[in-house]
Amino acid sequence: MLRKILIIGAGKSTSYLLDYFLEKAIEEQLQIVIADLNPEAIPAKFKNHSNFDVVKLDIFNTPERQKAVQEVDIVVSMLPAHMHINIAKDCIHFNKHLVTASYVSDEIKTLDKEAKEKGLVFMNEVGLDPGIDHMSAMQIINQIKKKGGKMLLFESFTGGLVAPESDNNLWNYKFTWNPRNVVVAGQGGTAQFIQEGTYKYIPYHKLFRRTEFVDIKGYGKFEVYANRDSLKYREAYGLTDILTLYRGTMRRVGFSKAWNMFVQLGMTDDSYTIENSEGMTNREFVNLFLPYSPTDSVELKLRYYLKIDQDDIMWDKLQELNLFSSDKKIALKNATPAQILQKILEDSWTLADEDKDMIVMYHKFGYEVNGTKKQIDASMVVIGENRTHTAMAKTVGLPVAIATLLILNKKITRPGIQIPLHEEVYTPILKELEAYGIIFNEEEVTYLGYNPNTVAS
């Protein structure tokens, strides 16, 4: 008898996920229902396969949504995080397991007791970041602890970037994920982490000027800016006594300094709307954030305001985006500055059909065992195939798909709202990911810490 999987949402991140189920459908006796608001965009290879059903679904249509959930064994929600809650409640009501790649929201947490009582697995944060970062980190942390090691330092950085062969702009960057998340990154709270036993805080207006550097073998140098809350997983990872805990986002060197120009101008602000935004030119948009002058051009005012010399690469980066164009017009009504900036950037930073993206993840583990301080560096690089089969879609979609099948096959049985921190979850997922080229390279190096020979400062 066929086991039924409902996949809600077939957007950018689902290409590898759907291919995985296509590959496994017959041997695993699966019937996959792909439910999306725009089913016409789903490739014919799924529509024409006997083990797939493609249906139109508006998740705000409660009877339709509940009927879809009721008829399957497990639900995979690939929707934005804020849309999971009603699906999760349906899964509780109809006794169905649930898998998502999203951060666990406070609303979802409230369902934990019922999920446990009903023996339901609600696996969240099982994509890339969050997801592969949790699993790969826990695997090494637990190995260190098993040999009697005490964790001193843990750093974890991830970046969704453009692959070297498709890197052809001055920013060394293209959108590989939701562009909005890039534009508003770092907002909504001060970045906080701990270094050498001292709490550190970076307010948003300073975030992109407090960067650190990382070398990845074969791929060169990257920079990192801090994530909003590095301390969130201290307890979950079992690192309550750790001296350094720092999580961040990776970019190519120079990106953050250039991005900081937008932050200082106020173009990343999403808290108010510009009433007459529709029909405004890019040039007029830039001028909104500059002082009035009866004589100076927009270019001159901006250079003076940001203290940029005309031979500075920062100036070339701004010009490359057509920011000063009087021909390019904004087609958004009552948009926020962040929304307008996103639209302008999408014109320059959208992947071309044959462009390849790149995922880079790096962990640093510092620990002490038998009185000796040691360090393990672990890194992963995944290159995409094209604009559809991206490294982002691969690293988000495959662990979600693998986890779904493991739950269906009763290999993962721990009930409740959870993230993939347990050995029964991360061991088989990481092992299977290796077959798809998602591999961590581990290296023992000299322990450096931050101030190995001095008192923390």
Side-chain angles (χ1 to χ4, degrees), residues 254-271:
F255 179 90
S256 297
K257 185 178 180 184
W259 186 262
N260 191 54
M261 294 188 288
F262 296 139
V263 175
Q264 300 311 317
L265 284 165
M267 287 183 180
T268 61
D269 198 321
D270 202 42
S271 65

Side-chain angles (χ1 to χ4, degrees), residues 86-228:
N86 288 331
I87 294 159
K89 286 177 178 174
D90 293 342
C91 287
I92 293 283
H93 183 72
F94 295 113
N95 296 320
K96 312 296 178 184
H97 303 296
L98 175 67
V99 182
T100 86
S102 303
Y103 286 106
V104 178
S105 68
D106 290 338
E107 282 185 301
I108 296 280
K109 278 181 193 167
T110 63
L111 303 175
D112 184 53
K113 186 169 177 285
E114 285 181 276
K116 281 176 176 164
E117 284 169 358
K118 294 189 166 202
L120 299 175
V121 181
F122 274 36
M123 184 65 68
N124 305 272
E125 302 189 21
V126 70
L128 168 69
D129 176 5
I132 292 175
D133 57 339
H134 295 327
M135 295 186 277
S136 53
M138 286 308 297
Q139 187 170 57
I140 295 175
I141 289 167
N142 284 337
Q143 284 168 4
I144 289 167
K145 287 181 176 178
K146 278 176 186 172
K147 59 184 182 186
K150 175 180 163 53
M151 286 292 297
L152 304 172
L153 173 150
F154 174 60
E155 294 187 344
S156 178
F157 311 133
T158 308
L161 300 152
V162 61
E165 55 263 54
S166 302
D167 186 348
N168 55 9
N169 69 44
L170 292 174
W171 293 74
N172 310 115
Y173 186 78
K174 292 182 184 179
F175 289 128
T176 59
W177 194 233
N178 185 343
R180 176 175 166 76
N181 291 352
V182 176
V183 174
V184 299
Q187 297 183 41
T190 296
Q192 52 183 306
F193 50 101
I194 187 169
Q195 283 179 324
E196 293 292 306
T198 303
Y199 285 92
K200 299 288 185 184
Y201 301 91
I202 309 177
Y204 176 64
H205 73 284
K206 292 290 186 185
L207 183 64
F208 297 97
R209 296 310 295 127
R210 288 262 301 272
T211 52
E212 303 205 359
F213 298 103
V214 176
D215 278 298
I216 303 292
K217 200 174 280 184
Y219 292 90
K221 197 174 187 182
F222 297 84
E223 66 185 20
V224 179
Y225 65 84
N227 285 359
R228 198 168 67 201

Side-chain angles (χ1 to χ4, degrees), residues 279-285 298-299 322-330:
M280 186 182 283
T281 66
N282 287 6
R283 186 180 188 83
E284 287 168 335
F285 172 63
V298 173
E299 289 90 340
N322 293 309
L323 272 177
F324 306 105
S325 170
S326 297
D327 300 321
K328 288 193 172 278
K329 294 194 173 178
I330 293 146

Side-chain angles (χ1 to χ4, degrees), residues 384-401:
E385 294 174 51
N386 50 45
R387 189 169 70 174
T388 308
H389 283 71
T390 60
M392 183 68 82
K394 187 176 194 176
T395 51
V396 171
L398 280 178
V400 169

